[in-house]
Amino acid sequence: MIEAPYPELDELLTMIGEAGQRMSDIDATEGAAGNISVYMGWPVEPRRRFPLVETIDLPVPMPEFSGRAFLVTGSGRRLREIIQDTAANLGFVVINDDGRTAQLYTSPRRLFARLTSEFNSHLAVHRSAITASGTNFHAIIHAQPPYLTYLSHIPAYRDETYLNRHLLRWEPESIVQLPEGVGHVPFHVPGSPEQMLDTVEAMKRHKVIIWAKHGVVARSDLSVKRAADYIEYAETAARYEYMDLVNQGQGEGLTPEEIRAICRAFNIQQSIF
Ligand SMILES: [Zn+2]
């Protein structure tokens, strides 16, 4: 939830660009991998930045969301290049009253033909989170950080308890930032209905989830950069875990007692350790 005064459209565009740049800085968005979307629950006028308009079909019917507005990355766009021309890389979507179509506002410099192919998962997670909490802001980032993704290729890390007890033991920040742990979604074909449904369920319980053998998804109802932070915290943890795997498990890690002491000191509720 964001308090008034709400951010201007240009501020949101810049923050999306900065989040995309950060995903690139941590090697989580090779080529055109990854996508970002943002829900804005207050009146925003798109047409100064996005004067062209067309009608598109929604991948998920959202009749209860008529009139709601989203910023979404274009298919094939590079997250690291959004910041160079934010309007050219993003579409501004307003859902029509029929709930099956939307108005897509775009820039004359538009660099994409369609919105991201993962728009179905984005919309379904937005709907779930907005309905559950009533938030007026919600950001989602999909990225492909290599250490988290590599761990999802090792069968033991597909168990959420095993995954989180191993991930969240390398830095005090980990349990503070991700007290509900990192969620795990089994491999599904990218963009498929199965991926969408599993993602919605996992993101009810987690701020960041792994798409097995693919990448991660993070969400925040505070800012798009906060969602990027969650990916960075989880990826740093996975990098430590990977280092320990290749170093024959010589690292001690924070012990469960040490992690519980951190949680007491910072008043963190968690059930992992
Ligand atoms: Zn992907």
Side-chain angles (χ1 to χ4, degrees):
M1 199 83 177
I2 293 185
E3 304 287 331
Y6 303 120
E8 301 280 346
L9 178 57
D10 281 344
E11 294 175 74
L12 286 169
L13 294 174
T14 298
M15 283 191 276
I16 292 171
E18 290 174 353
Q21 180 64 54
R22 189 65 195 139
M23 291 298 94
S24 178
D25 292 345
I26 66 166
D27 295 330
T29 175
E30 70 277 12
N35 32 70
I36 299 175
S37 67
V38 166
Y39 163 69
M40 299 149 290
W42 57 87
V44 182
E45 171 53 57
R47 284 171 293 185
R48 281 183 68 86
R49 289 286 172 268
F50 302 97
L52 307 180
V53 61
E54 67 191 90
T55 301
I56 59 167
D57 291 323
L58 286 176
V60 187
M62 305 249 292
E64 71 278 37
F65 276 65
S66 75
R68 311 268 190 134
F70 300 83
L71 284 162
V72 188
T73 49
S75 180
R77 300 316 308 152
R78 302 172 187 89
L79 295 194
R80 64 179 174 276
E81 291 180 355
I82 294 173
I83 199 160
Q84 295 167 15
D85 188 346
T86 50
N89 287 280
L90 295 160
F92 189 109
V93 174
V94 181
I95 296 180
N96 289 331
D97 287 343
D98 63 12
R100 300 191 158 274
T101 61
Q103 298 311 108
L104 171 62
Y105 294 89
T106 54
S107 162
R109 303 181 306 281
R110 166 177 176 169
L111 291 168
F112 56 91
R114 294 173 308 283
L115 297 175
T116 171
S117 58
E118 310 281 17
F119 192 32
N120 63 337
S121 286
H122 282 253
L123 272 182
V125 173
H126 282 303
R127 176 173 59 188
S128 171
I130 296 162
T131 303
S133 71
T135 183
N136 61 4
F137 178 87
H138 197 248
I140 298 175
I141 302 177
H142 162 54
Q144 301 184 177
Y147 293 95
L148 283 163
T149 307
Y150 175 69
L151 291 183
S152 77
H153 285 269
I154 302 174
Y157 291 92
R158 294 171 197 158
D159 176 85
E160 282 186 4
T161 301
Y162 184 95
L163 171 72
N164 285 298
R165 285 184 182 163
H166 285 78
L167 277 186
L168 304 182
R169 61 181 171 149
W170 299 111
E171 290 184 323
E173 282 91 343
S174 306
I175 193 70
V176 175
Q177 294 294 334
L178 301 169
E180 60 291 285
V182 175
H184 179 270
V185 168
F187 175 77
H188 295 299
V189 171
S192 64
E194 294 79 10
Q195 174 182 268
M196 177 185 78
L197 294 170
D198 270 9
T199 304
V200 167
E201 283 310 306
M203 297 218 85
K204 289 177 182 172
R205 292 174 280 115
H206 302 281
K207 291 180 295 211
V208 51
I209 59 140
I210 295 175
W211 278 346
K213 306 180 184 180
H214 179 168
V216 302
V217 185
R219 62 180 193 84
S220 169
D221 56 12
L222 293 174
S223 79
V224 64
K225 290 171 78 173
R226 192 70 66 104
D229 288 345
Y230 295 141
I231 293 176
E232 198 170 352
Y233 285 121
E235 174 67 351
T236 300
R239 187 172 183 173
Y240 276 106
E241 181 66 14
Y242 172 82
M243 286 161 52
D244 197 53
L245 286 173
V246 299
N247 196 29
Q248 289 86 43
Q250 293 193 67
E252 187 176 61
L254 293 158
T255 65
E257 291 72 27
E258 288 167 338
I259 292 173
R260 287 193 287 268
I262 294 164
C263 293
R264 280 194 299 277
F266 290 88
N267 200 20
I268 299 295
Q269 308 296 321
Q270 57 91 21
S271 57
I272 297 164
F273 295 94

